[in-house]
Amino acid sequence: MFAANNTVFGPLTFILTGVPGLPMSNYWIAFPLSSLYLLMLLGNCTLLWTIKTDYSLHTPMYYLLSMLAMADLGLSVSTLPSMLGIFWFESTSLHFDACIVQMYFIHSFSAIESGVLVAMALDRFIAICYPLQYAYILTGSLIIKAGAVIFMRGVCVVLPVAVLIKKLPFCRSMVLSHSFCLHQDMLRLACADVRVNSVYGLTAVILTKALDSMAILLSYMMIVRAIMSTVSHESRAKAFSTCISHLCAVLVFYIPLISLSLIHRFGKHLTALTHTLMADAYLLVPPVLNPLVYSWKTKQIRRRILTLFHWRGAQRLV
């Protein structure tokens, strides 16, 4: 299975890492982690159900919010088996092909979520800067096409990353730094020249996260300029309030992402615990917080959810 240079030629198995410094089977970690996943599933499924059943929410803004919820679900479910397997059952080994599949879905759904955030920023830009043309510009068919483009971009841009890494030989030490498989983490274990993989990985990031963040920044620069040109303070406050939820979603997604990227590049001296917590925050915090923020800040969704709970309560009383 191993050659003299410790390169693996047989079936590969990666060893996943839990939280450094803590025992592998730790219920103090397993219970909160399971609670986060349940909260994520409940929040995003409730959001999707609310938008589907309330016809007043069948508008471009809420269609895009549905796409964000589905991307959040996909991102969290991609990490669910390995993370819960580690903390509940001490199952730390993951087959090479399974690791590549997990890595592919994590990075694909991350790229899809980034694209949806761009579409939501453009939605807010058109709603504030061109309110009279909003219904004519953002039609249902355009939103469907935009969703298809965002999905295909996430699928196609990340695919070569998985194909390239599958061709690499790996060394005997197969211990990953996280509870799931990430591209950079797998790449550091390869026993070959990984310049092509690194260059394409960087290219994929530029084609997705970098361009998306610039598009969001540009959209909000124009939004702020349009809002500041409004004379009425009440109109300014109303316009800003329509962007609060999306801004929170952008910050919740990009702050952990940027922090994790900086730590991978320049934080070699930091503890393994710091790397683990930032990676977990990047993958777990946005799917948990997004439905909470939108349910709290969006009156239509909040009213629909409250109506649902009141109706359920009345049904039990009857």
Side-chain angles (χ1 to χ4, degrees), residues 69-242:
M70 287 188 284
D72 280 336
L73 282 170
L75 190 59
S76 292
V77 171
S78 298
T79 63
L80 179 64
S82 61
M83 291 192 74
L84 294 187
I86 288 174
F87 295 110
W88 281 110
F89 308 109
E90 299 185 45
S91 176
T92 59
S93 61
L94 192 64
H95 191 271
F96 178 64
D97 290 333
C99 197
I100 288 181
V101 170
Q102 185 184 54
M103 179 209 70
Y104 174 74
F105 279 114
I106 288 173
H107 290 295
S108 290
F109 279 115
S110 179
I112 290 170
E113 180 158 347
S114 179
V116 173
L117 290 173
V118 173
M120 295 176 82
L122 295 176
D123 168 81
R124 292 299 83 204
F125 165 70
I126 295 171
I128 291 173
C129 299
Y130 303 98
L132 298 179
Q133 292 82 29
Y134 179 82
Y136 298 100
I137 297 174
L138 289 181
T139 61
S141 61
L142 180 62
I143 295 298
I144 292 173
K145 292 175 183 177
V149 170
I150 291 169
F151 176 79
M152 290 305 299
R153 186 192 68 159
V155 168
C156 296
V157 170
V158 180
L159 185 59
V161 173
V163 172
L164 287 171
I165 203 167
K166 187 173 175 61
K167 296 179 179 180
L168 291 176
F170 284 85
C171 297
R172 189 169 188 174
S173 175
M174 303 300 290
V175 180
L176 296 174
S177 305
H178 305 294
S179 307
F180 37 79
C181 301
L182 294 176
H183 179 244
Q184 283 296 116
D185 201 18
M186 295 175 67
L187 211 57
R188 69 180 179 83
L189 301 178
C191 292
D193 187 355
V194 296
R195 280 179 294 182
V196 173
N197 302 71
S198 297
V199 169
Y200 185 79
L202 180 61
T203 303
V205 171
I206 292 173
L207 291 175
T208 53
K209 315 293 176 50
L211 289 179
D212 291 348
S213 59
M214 293 300 295
I216 292 171
L217 179 62
L218 181 61
S219 296
Y220 272 98
M221 288 174 61
M222 292 186 287
I223 286 172
V224 169
R225 187 175 67 177
I227 292 175
M228 296 309 294
S229 65
T230 305
V231 177
S232 171
H233 290 287
E234 184 178 348
S235 299
R236 288 182 186 179
K238 186 177 180 180
F240 272 121
S241 67
T242 64

